[in-house]
Amino acid sequence: MIARFKDLVLDAADARALGAFWARVLGGELVEAGDRDTRILPGAGRTAAEGIWVNQVPEPRTGRTRVHLDLRLDRPDPGSLLATGARLVREPDSEIDWWVLADPEGNLFCAFPPGDDTAAGPIALVVDASDPLAQATWWAAMVGGRVRHRTDPGQALLVEAAGFPWGRWVFDLAPERRTVKNRLHWDVDLTEPTPAALIRAGATLLREPDATARWWVLTDPEGNEFCAFPPA
């Protein structure tokens, strides 16, 4: 294990408004983080890894949402999410048994009906991938856990990854490659003082720590950005 999952980071044109939306959805507390950024602190009974940083960025969202959350509802329909400001994109039909929604800035997420064995709230982090099995296997080598390759070759699951707070880290087959920066990315905490092991394993270094940031910015083999923090 080279690293452990730390938390999520969401880019926003209006970090305060988008942070307030997600804080309501996730039952967390929104706090100011400086420089117009905000942070969603997890609600009672949640782990620190379920917190989300919401960063103010100048560019608007463009292109397909390649990283999103799956949520489990606590009621039969997503009416409460719509009342909070979500937009309905797709209803359950003969192909899917969940709702696809968009947040106020157009970021997609999925909402599943209540389940007997799963509490309401986030249940999976979903990442588009050109090669789901290769991506899940690579990340398992970085953060531990087990890869489960479903009978459907279009999906691979990573479970029990170090620090990962939800049931499944899902990699879904997507025919198109990533062309723009992901609006949602994840951070990891390193087990060693530098990300040298990540780079040897195939990560690409984009940015070194400097006076404004104490972390490294890297990409995984399919170009997904993530930040790596030195050990505490």
Side-chain angles (χ1 to χ4, degrees), residues 48-66:
E50 294 181 81
I52 300 178
W53 294 86
V54 186
N55 288 348
Q56 186 85 22
V57 297
E59 67 277 3
R61 188 191 69 84
T62 58
R64 175 187 170 93
T65 302
R66 294 187 66 85

Side-chain angles (χ1 to χ4, degrees), residues 35 37 55 185 187 205-218 226-230:
D35 294 329
D37 297 340
N55 288 348
H185 75 265
D187 295 339
L205 179 64
L206 296 184
R207 179 179 171 181
E208 299 261 9
D210 56 29
T212 62
R214 64 180 184 89
W215 56 86
W216 291 265
V217 181
L218 305 103
F226 66 99
C227 297
F229 289 70

